[in-house]
Structures are given as structure tokens and as C-alpha cells.
Amino acid sequence: MDVKPSPEPFVKTFRALHHGRAPGDPLILPGPWDAAGARVFAEAGFPALATPSAGIAESLGYADGSTPADEMFAAVTRIVRAVAEFGIPVSADLEAGYGLPARELVDRALAAGVVGINLEDSGPYGLDDPHQHAGRLAEVRAAAGDALFVNARVDTYVRGVPDLDETVRRARLYVEAGADSVYPILAPPDHLPALCESIPAPVNALAHPDGPPPRELGRLGAARVTFGPGLLRRVLGVVREMARELC
């Protein structure tokens, strides 16, 4: 495979954006689901983007978690290409890694041009063993070196285990394995201060329409805020209104 690693300054810039954040000033990363959306966010002046796997799946006509790896990497590559002229780093949600060996996963991510990846710790049968997942993250870190920013998603809340201590335990294992940041997706806002205090890495919070706005999540301790497929669904709401008007 002809691997084209992301330019080193892009990765360094993206990593630096996660640190030294003032309370209430988190790194806000819109989630483009296609190239056109990515350009809109780039033109708005965001310093980086983070693709949502669920949003890309929906845009391609798949259920969340069902996108074939080749189609996901192709979509991510188009998004990276669409914003290349803006010099904006892009991170990609690669779900649980599509069963790819660590070396191949890293090579394909770098070939797509991304500077970061999300990897989640659950699959079709629920939460993965945290030690096994930490081992997987360590393999990815070893294969990537400093060429990728690794955001380790913790799926305790998604999988019906809303246990603060278990979330912290998993997060700390993943940081020890080499994760650059941790993403306890769907963590309740009132858990964020304790999570951010206990996890020795930047914490990614999910913003959604019924929850606190991004800057409030930052005041609760989040260093990074993403949106999952939420932005796409807001756009689809507008499209539905247009469709009703045209019928």
C-alpha cells in the first residue's frame, strides 16, 4: 500500500489544540458527513474537523456500525481532500477498527490523510474486555508512533453501564496504553467534572440538542467537544421542511 503519512506539522497542531484549553473554551470539532459539509465548516473557520462514523453511515445509506471499511475510508478520504486547501487537520471515527490488524488500520488511516482516529471499546456483543482493548490501543500506538492522535472511546454509558468508577478505570488503562485523549460518549454532564479530574488526558464530550452547549461542556472540564451524527440530523430536519413545502 502506498502510504502517505499526514504532514507532521498537522499532527502536532492537532495534538496541541487539545491542551492548555481555558475553562469554557473547549476544542469544538464539527463532524462533516461528506465533502460539501466539510468545506462549509472549513470556510467557517474551525481549526480542525472530526468525522462521525454514524453520520457518514447515514449519508451512505447504512445503519450505524454497518458501513464497509472500504466505503468508510473512501468517504473520509474525500472529506480530507475537500479541505486540504484550508490546511485543516481531520480526525476520523473508525468505530472499532473494522477487524483490521493494527498496522493495516494505521496505514489506511494515514493513506486517507487523517491526523487522528477514534477507536471504541465495544462491539456487537457489548463492552470489550478493557485489558484486551488496551492491548489493541498499544498495538495501534506502536504502529502509528506520533503520526496519529488516538482518541479512545469508552462505551460504558452507551452500553448501559453508567458507572463512573468503571469508566475511569477503562479510561486510565487506555491512556496508559498510549491514547492521547478519552471519549466517554454519552457521559451525563454531572459526571464530567469527576471524569476530567480523574483521567490524566484530555476528555472528549458529546454535545447533543437536549444537553448543555459546547462551551458549558468546556466549563465542566471537557477539552474537546464533538457532535456525532447530530449536525447531519439537524440538516436533515431542514431538508424535511423543504420537502414538505415542495409537496
Side-chain angles (χ1 to χ4, degrees):
M1 180 181 295
D2 180 18
V3 179
K4 298 176 182 178
S6 303
E8 187 176 354
F10 267 30
V11 183
K12 287 184 175 179
T13 296
F14 187 67
R15 188 170 278 115
L17 286 170
H18 292 75
H19 296 277
R21 311 297 310 191
D25 182 33
L27 173 61
I28 298 174
L29 296 176
W33 53 91
D34 63 12
R39 287 188 65 87
V40 170
F41 293 129
E43 289 166 355
F46 287 95
L49 304 174
T51 67
S53 61
I56 288 177
E58 196 164 339
S59 75
L60 295 176
Y62 292 102
D64 185 18
S66 300
T67 310
D70 287 350
E71 292 199 44
M72 182 62 74
F73 281 109
V76 169
T77 300
R78 289 192 293 271
I79 287 168
V80 171
R81 184 172 62 242
V83 300
E85 68 184 87
F86 298 91
I88 294 175
V90 177
S91 182
D93 183 345
L94 299 182
E95 302 179 299
Y98 308 106
L100 298 172
R103 179 73 267 170
E104 183 178 354
L105 179 67
V106 168
D107 285 351
R108 295 192 70 171
L110 293 174
V114 300
V115 299
I117 58 174
N118 281 14
L119 290 175
E120 60 200 49
D121 66 348
S122 70
Y125 305 105
L127 285 167
D128 296 334
D129 177 271
H131 293 279
Q132 290 182 358
H133 188 69
R136 166 79 162 160
L137 290 172
E139 291 175 355
V140 169
R141 172 53 69 211
D146 291 331
L148 285 175
F149 183 100
V150 178
N151 188 34
R153 200 177 96 175
V154 183
D155 282 3
T156 44
Y157 297 98
V158 171
R159 295 293 180 167
V161 185
D163 186 299
L164 179 63
D165 291 339
E166 175 61 12
T167 303
V168 169
R169 182 175 79 94
R170 286 173 174 265
R172 293 180 72 89
L173 283 171
Y174 303 160
V175 173
E176 290 170 5
D180 294 285
S181 64
V182 176
Y183 182 15
I185 187 171
L186 290 184
D190 61 349
H191 282 202
L192 274 177
L195 288 168
C196 297
E197 178 69 24
S198 302
I199 296 170
V203 171
N204 185 160
L206 175 70
H208 53 88
D210 298 327
R215 296 197 183 282
E216 177 60 23
L217 294 171
R219 281 189 285 272
L220 292 171
R224 160 176 166 159
V225 176
T226 52
F227 301 85
L231 300 180
L232 168 61
R233 289 172 185 168
R234 287 176 61 181
V235 170
L236 291 178
V238 175
V239 174
R240 288 189 187 95
E241 289 295 323
M242 293 170 57
R244 282 193 284 269
E245 292 173 5
L246 294 171
C247 278

